[in-house]
Amino acid sequence: KVVMSRDEVLDLYRTAIERDGVPIVSIEDGFGESDHEGWALLTKELGDRIFIIGDDLVTTKDSNIEGCAKEGIMNATLIKVNQIGTITETVLAMLTSLAYRAQLIVSHRSKSPNDPFEADVATAMNAVGIKAGGGANTERLQKYRRVDEIMQTASAASSGIDEYVS
């Protein structure tokens, strides 16, 4: 087990991105949920280049998202549709995140049902991404197929609109 200080962890992230050229797009739960100082440093240091994603930090709860956004300790929110309780609460969490200009990443949870619901939510809310893991499981493939289906439909509709307007 390796024990690192807050500064050592931050330096590890910074070095990987700046010196080693590791193509990091996001860091999810880069510090413990009670280490708001670590989160603030991470967002200040790297938040203009990568997504600093709150997951355990905010738990898809609008009041947690609002508090963390006001502190400026994240710039993206992981949304788990079945984490908070209801669809209404999930939508409120997403709208709160967007109100504070934090990007959305919609995620499935372990033992997710074999349906594409998260893909529908992610595209409907214009999320920057969907997190569903590797394609080894049928329930994950369903979500990726649905995103592809929605994107193809949108592309076809956009082509038709362009032709009509021309």
Side-chain angles (χ1 to χ4, degrees):
K1 185 175 182 180
V2 176
V3 177
M4 300 173 78
S5 70
R6 177 187 299 130
D7 290 336
E8 289 172 321
V9 172
L10 182 60
D11 190 53
L12 176 74
Y13 297 147
R14 189 183 313 111
T15 299
I17 293 168
E18 294 174 355
R19 189 192 75 202
D20 298 340
V22 178
I24 295 174
V25 175
S26 65
I27 296 176
E28 178 182 321
D29 286 343
F31 288 96
E33 59 255 32
S34 61
D35 185 6
H36 287 210
E37 188 176 332
W39 279 87
L41 288 169
L42 179 60
T43 302
K44 181 182 176 193
E45 292 284 327
L46 299 173
D48 63 336
R49 290 177 267 177
I50 65 171
F51 297 116
I52 308 301
I53 304 172
D55 176 13
D56 293 344
L57 180 69
V58 297
T59 62
T60 312
K61 185 172 173 74
D62 63 303
S63 59
N64 293 348
I65 293 167
E66 182 173 25
C68 291
K70 282 181 176 178
E71 286 183 60
I73 63 174
M74 61 177 206
N75 62 14
T77 307
L78 195 72
I79 299 293
K80 295 177 183 170
V81 176
N82 63 353
Q83 182 175 44
I84 190 64
T86 68
I87 299 296
T88 301
E89 289 171 300
T90 301
V91 170
L92 181 58
M94 290 187 283
L95 292 173
T96 301
S97 187
L98 293 171
Y100 285 96
R101 293 191 166 90
Q103 295 294 323
L104 301 174
I105 296 90
V106 175
S107 178
H108 76 103
R109 296 186 78 193
S110 54
K111 308 285 189 230
S112 180
N114 198 12
D115 67 42
F117 187 64
E118 290 89 352
D120 290 318
V121 170
T123 53
M125 294 300 289
N126 201 28
V128 73
I130 183 169
K131 177 184 169 189
N137 300 339
T138 306
E139 70 271 8
R140 295 172 181 179
L141 289 174
Q142 291 252 346
K143 294 163 193 355
Y144 292 126
R145 283 187 190 118
R146 181 64 179 142
V147 169
D148 184 53
E149 196 177 276
I150 292 167
M151 298 303 286
Q152 287 183 28
T153 300
S155 179
S158 175
S159 294
I161 290 170
D162 290 342
E163 291 171 16
Y164 181 75
V165 171
S166 302

